[in-house]
Amino acid sequence: MHESFTNVRERDWDTDADGEIRLAVVGCGGFARGVVLPSIEDCDYLTPTVGVSGSESNREAAAEHGLETTDYDGYADGDLADSYDAVYVATPNRLHLPHIETAAAQGKAVISEKPLDATSERAEQAVETCEQAGVPLMTAYRMQTDPLVRRLREFLDDGGIGDVTRFAGDFTFPVLAGSRGPDQWRLDQELAGGGALVDVGVYLLNTTRFLLGEDPESVSGHTRTSGPFSDVDEHVDFQVVFPDAVGNFSASFSGHPTADYTIYGTEGTVRVYDAFQPNRGRRLVVETGDERFEIEGAGGGELREEFDYFAHAVLTGQDIEPDGRDGLTDVRLLEQVYASA
Amino acid sequence: MHESFTNVRERDWDTDADGEIRLAVVGCGGFARGVVLPSIEDCDYLTPTVGVSGSESNREAAAEHGLETTDYDGYADGDLADSYDAVYVATPNRLHLPHIETAAAQGKAVISEKPLDATSERAEQAVETCEQAGVPLMTAYRMQTDPLVRRLREFLDDGGIGDVTRFAGDFTFPVLAGSRGPDQWRLDQELAGGGALVDVGVYLLNTTRFLLGEDPESVSGHTRTSGPFSDVDEHVDFQVVFPDAVGNFSASFSGHPTADYTIYGTEGTVRVYDAFQPNRGRRLVVETGDERFEIEGAGGGELREEFDYFAHAVLTGQDIEPDGRDGLTDVRLLEQVYASA
């Protein structure tokens, strides 16, 4: 096993900084309440203090996590602005921009869910607003802070499988499963900016860009849709062409849930299973000419890592790698996939 | 485990026919000598009797398998035509047509290696020649006779993973590995008709068409090449769009050897590892909502199956599924991938 994987949990960005920041959660929907809030309870550098929602029941749920709460007007008016140092925007995609603008006007650092907004024009405006206000902006690409993914990047950089020539992968998230019906915003073209590509395909795109450390030269794709998905892409199959590698990816809003990718190199392959589910331990299978090793249940816990990484950067002034421009790059690429489809 | 897989070895085409046929092997290169001849020694319906080669050492090697031998002129002149009932064409791709024409003129059944020839015009001429002569023509798609692949088709037809929505897969064959240098015909555009797409990508294309039981509406692709491969595609990434499914595939002439594909359905996935290597036991992992099962070392031995299937069809007059038109369809599709690349 390569030395990159001997201590998967090690943080390669943590300078043991002093202090912590207080976070307002803007948009207390299912993901923020059910996944994020429980994940960030024991962060080292961050405490959630405020919850913003238009729904009374969501505000009540946030209050149970010990948060002060307000609605969107209260947030826009800065009612609780003295109670937070940074803002996490977790609303539907098309509503990110105004909340980012509010945070920037209040001088608060921002971490925004992906995609940065529903269109590249709006995402660009979000980036420029934060740059002009001098506030940090992070796009919430949690895979970039997944411990296993960071070790994997080291391993690839170190030539672990020779030169990387290709990626392949699929992320299928059955969006109508469980209690989520067809009225959700993810199936609304205007609110979401797209369907499976925007919501889950972006994981494959961004993770590949992160692991390769470069941007594609071109993208193309094919979309399919049916029934309740008619407004957005239910299935997308897309190709991402880098200077020396190609990614062949797919994403779906229906079907048996899967999330995995394979990295092909001149001297080996890496397969990552359970690749994108929140906080899930991942399974990694590495094959090279010399050896085969498997790591089970490594990585995951990436949401706590993500928010600590963000807070640590805010406290220390360190560069944020998945910054606003990283998010903007993806929104532009997603639009190019749709244009070709 | 689904009942399709309880008896993987069972032949679903064998009528316990009488008789056997005698086979001439036309082109005794590495694959014919090293893989095919050892595989067909104990066929039920076929005995190799004649070997044709332009190389004296290859003829000597064929003679060690007990074959009468001649060179290509002798074959064209019908010198040993009384010693065989059927012809296996295993020359470089662009030379298939003349040997198929010779066999048809001699009234012999033909099994030709894939692709059927190097261009669709030539492949079409091969098909029409055999049709006019009334001789059976099979394209040697060995995966169609792999026992596991046939059971897998049953399983999919039976709705084993719901509706199939997507395929993904890679076949990487490091063609310069071992004793094979850059002078081989597989790297010669005119002799081969293309590179990785034609030689190994076609496995993904044909197997998918076989498993789905339908033909694509469109194909597209992207090729890359370097160094010794400059005449042909070293890497190809291609998308195959069926009416209700899409295949995202890749194939390479360099890199760590891999051969696997995944089938995605509305209710499950099937992963096939070690999918295309000759005679290799395959590994199958099936996940559905209800269960997960894994079959290791099933299938393989498909070359003996292939030649017995062919001989059985010749003896009984049964239709050949991977017939000449099946091979022609693929050559046309491969040309369309190149045209888009």
Side-chain angles (χ1 to χ4, degrees):
Chain A
M1 191 165 73
H2 190 273
E3 60 188 342
S4 290
F5 299 110
T6 50
N7 191 354
V8 171
R9 280 275 154 206
E10 195 180 3
R11 288 177 166 179
D12 52 19
W13 47 264
D14 194 338
T15 60
D16 199 13
D18 288 325
E20 65 168 28
I21 64 169
R22 299 162 304 156
L23 186 76
V25 177
V26 176
C28 298
F31 188 76
R33 279 197 329 276
V35 179
V36 175
L37 281 174
S39 300
I40 64 177
E41 274 173 357
D42 59 347
C43 274
D44 291 331
Y45 297 119
L46 176 143
T47 303
T49 50
V50 169
V52 179
S53 177
S55 142
E56 191 169 332
S57 67
N58 285 356
R59 287 196 298 274
E60 283 170 10
E64 285 170 22
H65 282 274
L67 308 190
E68 288 185 89
T69 64
T70 185
D71 61 13
Y72 290 112
D73 288 339
Y75 168 65
D77 293 343
D79 287 356
L80 299 175
D82 291 340
S83 297
Y84 53 89
D85 310 299
V87 166
Y88 167 50
V89 179
T91 60
N93 303 339
R94 199 190 164 78
L95 306 176
H96 291 177
L97 174 61
H99 301 313
I100 293 171
E101 288 174 331
T102 296
Q106 295 173 356
K108 311 294 186 186
V110 184
I111 174 170
S112 168
E113 265 309 327
K114 38 57 57 184
L116 194 48
D117 202 292
T119 70
S120 61
E121 290 75 16
R122 295 171 67 85
E124 189 169 359
Q125 200 174 330
V127 170
E128 287 173 356
T129 298
C130 289
E131 285 178 354
Q132 283 158 19
V135 301
L137 171 60
M138 174 166 164
T139 312
Y141 287 123
R142 57 188 168 79
M143 299 325 301
Q144 292 198 26
T145 56
D146 186 279
L148 185 68
V149 176
R150 295 185 74 82
R151 294 297 86 73
L152 177 54
R153 180 170 67 163
E154 278 178 26
F155 173 69
L156 298 176
D157 284 350
D158 199 37
I161 56 169
D163 297 328
V164 172
T165 56
R166 177 176 284 136
F167 289 76
D170 177 80
F171 192 0
T172 294
F173 169 59
V175 76
L176 298 180
S179 60
R180 301 179 294 261
D183 288 335
Q184 58 183 300
W185 66 264
R186 282 185 177 78
L187 305 192
D188 180 320
Q189 170 64 34
E190 197 181 333
L191 276 177
L197 176 65
V198 160
D199 200 54
V200 289
V202 71
Y203 282 88
L204 289 152
L205 174 62
N206 187 265
T207 304
T208 304
R209 289 178 51 232
F210 175 72
L211 289 173
L212 266 184
E214 55 185 8
D215 285 342
E217 293 176 339
S218 67
V219 293
S220 60
H222 178 85
T223 58
R224 292 174 283 161
T225 200
S226 67
F229 301 97
S230 57
D231 203 24
V232 296
D233 46 302
E234 175 184 4
H235 303 290
V236 62
D237 301 87
F238 61 112
Q239 201 171 70
V240 182
V241 178
F242 293 89
D244 298 305
V246 170
N248 300 297
F249 300 125
S250 56
S252 289
F253 265 168
S254 71
H256 185 71
T258 54
D260 47 64
Y261 56 93
T262 302
I263 311 169
Y264 300 87
T266 51
E267 293 164 27
T269 58
V270 178
R271 299 176 193 279
V272 184
Y273 299 94
D274 292 326
F276 302 123
Q277 297 94 338
N279 286 332
R280 176 99 54 102
R282 328 258 168 233
R283 188 159 70 89
L284 190 83
V285 181
V286 178
E287 283 183 35
T288 66
D290 318 297
E291 70 173 332
R292 179 185 193 281
F293 60 87
E294 198 165 330
I295 302 176
E296 182 118 26
E302 78 282 0
L303 277 146
R304 177 176 184 276
E305 295 298 298
E306 177 186 31
F307 282 84
D308 259 341
Y309 174 94
F310 167 70
H312 178 272
V314 171
L315 288 168
T316 61
Q318 281 185 357
D319 284 345
I320 292 172
E321 210 174 341
D323 60 8
R325 296 219 164 258
D326 189 15
L328 172 58
T329 296
D330 283 331
V331 178
R332 286 179 173 147
L333 291 167
L334 300 177
E335 286 177 346
Q336 289 167 29
V337 173
Y338 284 130
S340 89
Chain B
M1 189 165 72
H2 189 273
E3 59 188 340
S4 291
F5 299 110
T6 50
N7 191 354
V8 170
R9 279 275 154 206
E10 195 179 5
R11 289 178 166 179
D12 52 18
W13 46 265
D14 195 340
T15 61
D16 199 12
D18 289 325
E20 65 168 29
I21 65 169
R22 299 163 303 157
L23 186 75
V25 177
V26 176
C28 297
F31 188 75
R33 280 196 330 275
V35 180
V36 175
L37 281 173
S39 300
I40 63 177
E41 275 172 357
D42 59 345
C43 274
D44 291 332
Y45 298 119
L46 176 141
T47 302
T49 50
V50 169
V52 178
S53 177
S55 140
E56 190 170 331
S57 67
N58 286 356
R59 286 197 299 274
E60 282 169 11
E64 284 170 24
H65 282 275
L67 308 190
E68 288 183 90
T69 63
T70 185
D71 62 12
Y72 290 111
D73 288 339
Y75 167 65
D77 293 342
D79 287 355
L80 299 175
D82 290 340
S83 298
Y84 54 88
D85 309 298
V87 166
Y88 167 51
V89 179
T91 60
N93 303 338
R94 198 190 165 79
L95 305 177
H96 291 177
L97 175 60
H99 301 313
I100 293 172
E101 287 174 331
T102 296
Q106 296 173 354
K108 312 294 186 186
V110 184
I111 174 169
S112 168
E113 265 308 327
K114 38 56 62 181
L116 194 48
D117 202 292
T119 70
S120 61
E121 290 74 16
R122 295 171 67 85
E124 189 169 0
Q125 200 176 327
V127 169
E128 287 173 359
T129 298
C130 290
E131 285 177 354
Q132 282 157 19
V135 302
L137 171 60
M138 174 164 164
T139 312
Y141 287 124
R142 58 189 169 79
M143 301 324 302
Q144 292 199 26
T145 55
D146 186 279
L148 185 70
V149 176
R150 295 185 73 83
R151 295 295 87 72
L152 178 54
R153 181 170 68 163
E154 278 178 27
F155 174 69
L156 298 175
D157 283 350
D158 199 38
I161 56 168
D163 298 326
V164 172
T165 57
R166 175 175 287 137
F167 289 76
D170 176 79
F171 192 1
T172 294
F173 169 59
V175 77
L176 297 181
S179 60
R180 298 181 294 265
D183 288 334
Q184 59 182 302
W185 66 265
R186 283 184 175 80
L187 305 192
D188 180 320
Q189 169 65 31
E190 196 180 334
L191 276 177
L197 176 65
V198 160
D199 199 55
V200 289
V202 70
Y203 282 88
L204 290 151
L205 174 62
N206 187 266
T207 304
T208 304
R209 290 178 50 233
F210 174 72
L211 289 172
L212 266 184
E214 55 185 9
D215 285 341
E217 292 176 339
S218 66
V219 293
S220 60
H222 178 85
T223 58
R224 291 173 284 161
T225 200
S226 67
F229 302 97
S230 57
D231 203 25
V232 297
D233 45 302
E234 176 183 4
H235 303 290
V236 61
D237 301 86
F238 62 111
Q239 201 172 68
V240 183
V241 178
F242 293 90
D244 298 305
V246 170
N248 301 298
F249 299 126
S250 56
S252 289
F253 265 167
S254 71
H256 185 72
T258 55
D260 46 66
Y261 56 93
T262 303
I263 311 168
Y264 300 87
T266 53
E267 293 165 29
T269 57
V270 178
R271 297 177 195 278
V272 184
Y273 299 94
D274 292 325
F276 302 123
Q277 296 94 337
N279 287 331
R280 175 99 54 103
R282 328 261 168 230
R283 188 158 70 88
L284 191 83
V285 180
V286 179
E287 285 184 34
T288 67
D290 317 296
E291 71 173 329
R292 179 184 194 281
F293 61 87
E294 197 165 331
I295 302 176
E296 183 119 25
E302 78 283 358
L303 276 147
R304 178 177 183 275
E305 294 299 298
E306 178 186 28
F307 281 84
D308 259 341
Y309 174 94
F310 166 69
H312 177 272
V314 171
L315 288 168
T316 61
Q318 280 186 0
D319 284 344
I320 293 171
E321 211 175 340
D323 60 8
R325 296 218 163 260
D326 189 13
L328 172 58
T329 296
D330 284 331
V331 179
R332 286 179 174 146
L333 291 166
L334 300 177
E335 286 177 346
Q336 289 167 28
V337 172
Y338 284 130
S340 89

